[in-house]
Every structure is written in structure tokens, then in C-alpha cells.
Amino acid sequence: VAFVADSGIHALHGLPDWIQKRLHQTGQLADQLGIPLYLVGGIVRDALLGIPNTDVDLVVEGDGLDFAEHLARRFEATVRAHRRFGTATAVFPDRTKLDLATARSEHYPRPAALPVVQPGSIHDDLGRRDFTVNAMALRLNTDRYGERVDPHHGLDDLRQGLIRVLHPLSFIDDPTRLFRAARLEQRLNFTLESVTERLLREAVRTGLVDRLSGHRVLAQLRLICEETHPWAIVERLDGLQALQAIHPKLNASDQVRQAFSAIDREKHAGVSLPKAFWLFYILALVHAQDEQTLAALLTRLRPDRKLAACMAHLPAMRRLARAVTEERIDTPADFFRHASGLSPETVRFFAWTSPEAAVRERCAAYYLRDRHTRLSIDGHTLRRMGVPQGPAYGRILEAVLYEKINGHIHNEQEERRTALAVWAALQKKEENETPGKTGE
Ligand code: CTP
């Protein structure tokens, strides 16, 4: 049973000071304009649970964009309006922001289509939402500050730790909600209410996931991978057959679990993690798949170029890893030659997750050190040293780079010396390959 604040006022008092200040200010402005104003969505849920959340979502019964303009004038905020949705983001001089929307009703013209939206009441607005715990509002007007609007008994579900849809067509209207349900359930350590779970399974069984664009499915996977404990959600989605609905071969196998825990370890170690850390969990989810399945996933999910390259390079990286374990690759330069055509994140993924220590070490050395290796000399240096200009330049510099990667070169002088030696060897080879040429 979750701890839940006993009143809306209590919940609001638990919010950070800057948010409380903004809520009072906007509440007073709404009073002056004579419009009802509410705090809504995830922040209400989390405030009642005492969980930190700084995504301030406000709804006005009236013109949200107009209210945003008033806010902008009064508090020197800049407003970015999204007219089509009747929403706006206000950014204040101290860089804090809040989102504003016009209370609206929604209906879905067909399953999984984007909804048709009309202005409506706060009840309409709450009624179009996904789960009861997300469908509560707290009034912000001064005389009714903290009053809870909870037509779907979200507070009861919050107390019981249940994720419950508002109506039986919820997953049909918006199948992304089935991913959201599992994500929220696992994050809060709640349970899917039994009818909701049945509806979710039915939505999966009847192929509703297929109606979502690749972009929307991937956005859900990304949100999952950005959670604190993504593995629990992946496992849950497997149990609900929802992973398989994305592609029949996706699953929460032991191999996938091991990759997730290896990446968890890196996340907790926390040394210079990239912004797009979620990408590594996506790789963990798909890394064990064969080439054909990976190609199908690329077609299905349509990731951006970077993620697409990371996924597409998995099979080649797998072959390279096998070559390392079988000791067919034994120098750093040898590894570099093969790895440099691959996306660095794919190599880094193997540095973190490969079960073979030799592979992890090679990949880490490449990712952290070898791929950054640069020479002090260049084509100009070769010319000054008297090497005749031509295609040999590329081969000489490459050979010197490999020697440097292999640790045989320590300064510019050694680079020059090696370059000349390589050039001499190339000339000799050429002579041997064209017999008679020099004898004529
Ligand atoms: N919402 C919905 N259906 C969706 C997406 C969102 O009903 N498919 C509603 C929910 O009421 C949700 C609110 O819009 O609370 C805001 O959406 P979002 O910011 O995505 O959700 P949060 O609940 O704030 O989730 P999180 O805590 O992950 O930010």
C-alpha cells in the first residue's frame, strides 16, 4: 500500500518552493481573469505520493493560449504556443517553465489515430486521460487552492497501488498506453488492475500494436529505457506478450537480461555517460537477434540514422568479437582496422556487455584510446621528406598509424622514421611485383 497525502493542500505543500510560488502566482492571475485553473497529470499523482516531479502541467477552463499570453506579460515569460493542440509552454526569466493547456475533450476517429480535440471542461479533460491515477486535478484558484477533482477515483487507486484505465476502449483509442501502463506499474511498484490487464492483453492479442507507427513504438521504448529500472518493464512487457507484438522474436531472455544488468552497472558507475544513454538499452534489447530480425526491426521502428547504424552494425561487431575470442585478431591495429567502420556506440556496447573479458578489453581500448589516435605527421611532412606525391601517401600514413596504435611509436621522430621505412618497403615491393621494369 502506497503512502498517499491526505489532502490536495498537503500534496502541494510537498512541492519544491519554486513550483509552489508559480502555482500561487498563476492561481492569483486566474482569479483576476475569472478562469478556473488546475494542476493536472503526472505531477498531481506524484505530489500525492510524495515523489519528486518538476513537470508542471496546468489546465485552464477557457483559453489556455490567452492565459499564457497574460502570464508572459505579467511575469516576463516567453511563450511557445502549439496552436494546433491549444497548448503552450511558458519559460520564466529564471529558466523554470510550465506547460499550459486548454481543458479539452477528445475523441478518436479510429483506433490508434491521433485524437480530434475540442475545448471542454476539466471533467472532459480528465476523462480523456489514460489511467485513473493520472486523471486527477488540483484546483489552483486562491479560494479553492488544493481542492481535488477526481471523478475517476484516482486517489483510491493510488492508495491501493492500482493502474486502471478509465474505460474499456482506452487501449484501442491509444495503444501506446499499453506500454505506458507497464512502465508506470513497474516504476511505482503498482499492479495492473485485473480488468485493465485483461483489456491490455486483448489489445495485444488483436494486433493493436501493429497500428502504431514505428516512431511511436520507438518513442515508448525510449521512455522505458530512460526509466531508473528499465529491465523490470521489459520483463513485464514480455509477460504481457507486448514485446512480441513489436516483433515476434523480441523477448526478455537471459541474454537480454545480462546485457541490461551490465549496462545498469555502467549507469550506476556513472562516468561521463552520454546524453542518449537509453540507446544502449535498446541495443541490449535487440543485440541477440539475427541479421534478418535486425533488418525487420529497422524497418519496423525506423530509428534515426545514429541508432539505425548502431543496430545495423551489431552482426559485424559480433563477428569481430568472435574473431577476438578465437584469437584470429591479435593486435590493437588489427582490431582497429575492423572496428573503425562500425559505429563507436556498438563497440562501446560490447565493451560493457560481452561475456568475454578479452572482447571487453579490446573494445574498451578501441573506444577509449585507439580510435582517437592521431599522427603528428601528414602529407606535407611526407612531401618535405622527399616522398613523391601519390597514392602511396595514404598507405604510408595508415601503416604509421597502425604502428602507433600497436604502441611501437612514441614521438614525431619515430613517426617520420617509420614513414620512410614503410615507403622504402613499398618501393621494394613494387620492384618485385614488376619484374624487368628496373632492369630495362
Ligand atoms: N496522457 C494520456 N495518454 C497518453 C499520454 C499521456 O492520457 N497516451 C495523459 C496522462 O494524464 C498523463 C499526462 O497526459 O499524466 C501527461 O503525459 P506525460 O507527461 O507523458 O505523462 P506523465 O504521467 O507526466 O508521465 P511521466 O511521469 O513519465 O512524465
Side-chain angles (χ1 to χ4, degrees), residues 43-108:
I43 191 169
V44 173
R45 173 199 69 216
D46 288 343
L48 286 160
L49 289 170
I51 297 175
N53 184 332
T54 52
D55 292 335
V56 183
D57 283 316
L58 302 182
V59 161
V60 297
E61 278 177 317
D63 189 337
L65 294 183
D66 186 56
F67 187 76
E69 292 302 334
H70 275 98
L71 259 186
R73 278 198 293 277
R74 180 74 57 91
F75 303 107
E76 290 171 357
T78 31
V79 168
R80 235 178 311 132
H82 319 283
R83 290 199 180 276
R84 209 158 73 80
F85 300 103
T87 61
T89 303
V91 184
F92 295 86
D94 63 0
R95 308 202 29 209
T96 59
K97 49 182 189 168
L98 49 82
D99 287 316
L100 277 154
T102 305
R104 58 196 194 264
S105 70
E106 254 176 23
H107 78 271
Y108 291 82

Side-chain angles (χ1 to χ4, degrees), residues 278-289:
W278 60 276
L279 182 150
F280 292 100
Y281 285 112
I282 301 275
L283 290 181
L285 183 63
V286 305
H287 81 284
Q289 301 298 340

